[in-house]
Amino acid sequence: METREVITRYYELANAGDWDTWCDLFAPDQVMDEQLAGHVEGRETLRGMMKGFPETYASFANKPVHIVVEGEQAAVVSHISAVTTGGASIEAGVCNYFVVTDGLITYMSNFHDSVPFAPILGK
């Protein structure tokens, strides 16, 4: 898959809640710098983390607003609308940066205000 196809699929799978297939978009040795989860290395580590996602969110949507792709790099401005299993609403603007090599995400980082996520952070 080309970079844009990988990025499009990333959001399709996230919005479908298909986290196991979503993890398959990442290289086995992927590196992620995630705003809330921190530094994550390895696809299987990521897969283990995502198994708990449905226990945190009753609903989750991350809708792209603007996608920029240049070669193996992409940046996506998106908006998250979610509801926790405890009923708290979360609305947040996000920017994700991706590096896609040979059709797999090898690096990803995201940037957003953490305040809207206070209900899941225990704050």
Side-chain angles (χ1 to χ4, degrees):
M1 279 193 283
E2 297 292 321
T3 301
R4 182 170 290 275
E5 293 172 298
V6 172
I7 300 309
T8 298
R9 191 76 176 131
Y10 172 98
Y11 288 94
E12 288 172 351
L13 292 168
N15 289 318
D18 187 350
W19 299 111
D20 199 47
T21 307
W22 177 87
C23 287
D24 292 338
L25 294 173
F26 291 83
D29 60 348
Q30 72 85 36
V31 175
M32 178 185 291
D33 289 309
E34 209 284 327
Q35 185 85 26
L36 301 177
H39 187 76
V40 180
E41 293 188 22
R43 178 172 52 204
E44 295 313 309
T45 301
L46 180 62
R47 192 181 311 277
M49 289 173 46
M50 296 312 293
K51 287 187 187 303
F53 209 79
E55 296 169 13
T56 303
Y57 293 102
S59 68
F60 181 88
N62 188 354
K63 302 291 184 180
V65 176
H66 188 70
I67 300 172
V68 177
V69 175
E70 185 171 321
E72 294 185 335
Q73 298 180 66
V76 180
V77 175
S78 64
H79 185 83
I80 292 175
S81 293
V83 176
T84 68
T85 54
S89 293
I90 295 172
E91 298 290 334
V94 181
C95 184
N96 286 353
Y97 169 73
F98 300 88
V99 177
V100 177
T101 307
D102 296 327
L104 294 172
I105 300 167
T106 55
Y107 179 77
M108 187 198 131
S109 58
N110 67 0
F111 307 90
H112 56 75
D113 184 0
S114 60
V115 171
F117 294 90
I120 64 167
L121 297 174
K123 295 181 180 182

